[in-house]
Amino acid sequence: MPTMKAVWPTGWRAWAWALALVLAWDATSGDLVVARLFGDAGGFAARNAFWSEQLLHNGLRWLSGAAVVWMLFDLWRPLRPHDGPTRGERAWALAGTVLALLVVPALKSQSTTSCPWSLSEFGGVAAWMSHWDWGRNDGGPGHCFPSGHAVGSFAFFGLVWLWRGVPQVQRRILLAVLAAGLLGSLAQWARGAHFVSHSLWAALACAALTAAWQALGARWRQRRAAAGGLSAASTDRAAPPPPAGAPVRAWASDAATP
């Protein structure tokens, strides 16, 4: 049965380290430290700046849409059709990417955590509260955890797992996903739209969701192949033995007749 190790070669240890690092960040005051680098009581200077809002925020959103279109095109005209993933695997990865693009923002829509620009310290009305204080309202509009914008980049971790059989391609995709995710997150931190932890949890959620989806697909394909093998074996076993003394050629011809 396929395991998560088949999706991420370093196995559960890498997942444990990633989770530990994100939790360690949560345990510090790093979110406020970074937010104070970009904002003050007057708000965030980069909130409506061209580089942060138009170039990185809106630009990366368009790039995310273009990447989905490219995945659709790749189903029609596959990249590296001879040594790359099958069409079925590509379609499964596309579905996992779309799933991440839908699920994580859905979680964000239910969050009571407000964005940094809504905090009273930065000119808003909300009080700072941990995003783990479920059920409590910080006095602001909420709906800010985890980062929805970061998902537009990190959802494509599905492509990283998809191309694990071709390391050269996988490394390039991983670098592109991380670079886009970091740039988009940086813009949101500077604008006061998200804390660092919001982006970290979005990245971890997308990586875990798409990896689990990929492992589920591998397990389903294995079971389907095994079922096909059993069916073929059953057909072979169903053939009756030749009658004693009967010519083998004649018996084979009779057995083949409906």
Side-chain angles (χ1 to χ4, degrees):
M1 182 179 70
T3 63
M4 197 68 77
K5 188 172 183 178
V7 177
W8 192 332
T10 49
W12 286 105
R13 183 173 296 180
W15 291 103
W17 271 109
L19 178 60
L21 289 173
V22 177
L23 288 173
W25 178 270
D26 264 357
T28 71
S29 58
D31 276 346
L32 286 174
V33 170
V34 174
R36 288 166 182 160
L37 294 176
F38 298 106
D40 54 28
F44 291 83
R47 180 168 182 172
N48 298 311
F50 173 80
W51 70 270
S52 61
E53 183 178 24
Q54 300 299 325
L55 184 61
L56 293 180
H57 179 265
N58 295 338
L60 287 174
R61 180 174 293 173
W62 281 101
L63 183 61
S64 176
V68 171
V69 172
W70 176 83
M71 292 181 74
L72 287 169
F73 180 80
D74 187 53
L75 287 176
W76 177 49
R77 297 288 298 271
L79 171 70
R80 301 183 68 146
H82 302 298
D83 61 348
T86 65
R87 273 196 171 90
E89 290 170 336
R90 295 171 201 243
W92 188 264
L94 173 60
T97 299
V98 173
L99 184 67
L101 288 169
L102 295 175
V103 170
V104 181
L107 295 175
K108 172 178 173 284
S109 70
Q110 302 302 312
S111 170
T112 58
T113 301
S114 296
C115 302
W117 59 34
S118 296
L119 299 187
S120 56
E121 180 177 345
F122 303 110
V125 296
W128 184 90
M129 290 174 54
S130 170
H131 41 253
W132 299 119
D133 287 336
W134 295 336
R136 295 180 60 189
N137 195 298
D138 57 17
H143 310 303
C144 200
F145 174 79
S147 172
H149 187 270
V151 173
S153 299
F154 294 128
F156 293 93
F157 270 122
L159 285 174
V160 178
W161 316 138
L162 174 67
W163 285 92
R164 65 189 184 278
V166 188
Q168 183 181 12
V169 176
Q170 185 190 42
R171 282 193 296 269
R172 291 175 180 175
I173 295 174
L174 177 61
L175 289 175
V177 169
L178 292 178
L182 179 59
L183 287 173
S185 296
L186 177 61
Q188 294 298 78
W189 305 339
R191 299 179 66 233
H194 285 291
F195 286 118
V196 173
S197 63
H198 296 187
S199 300
L200 294 177
W201 281 108
L204 186 59
C206 287
L209 180 61
T210 53
W213 179 261
Q214 195 75 2
L216 179 65
R219 181 177 181 180
W220 176 75
R221 286 189 295 271
Q222 186 187 57
R223 286 187 172 183
R224 188 178 180 185
L230 288 174
S231 177
S234 299
T235 302
D236 292 341
R237 287 196 297 270
V248 174
R249 182 174 301 177
W251 170 85
S253 176
D254 293 341
T257 303

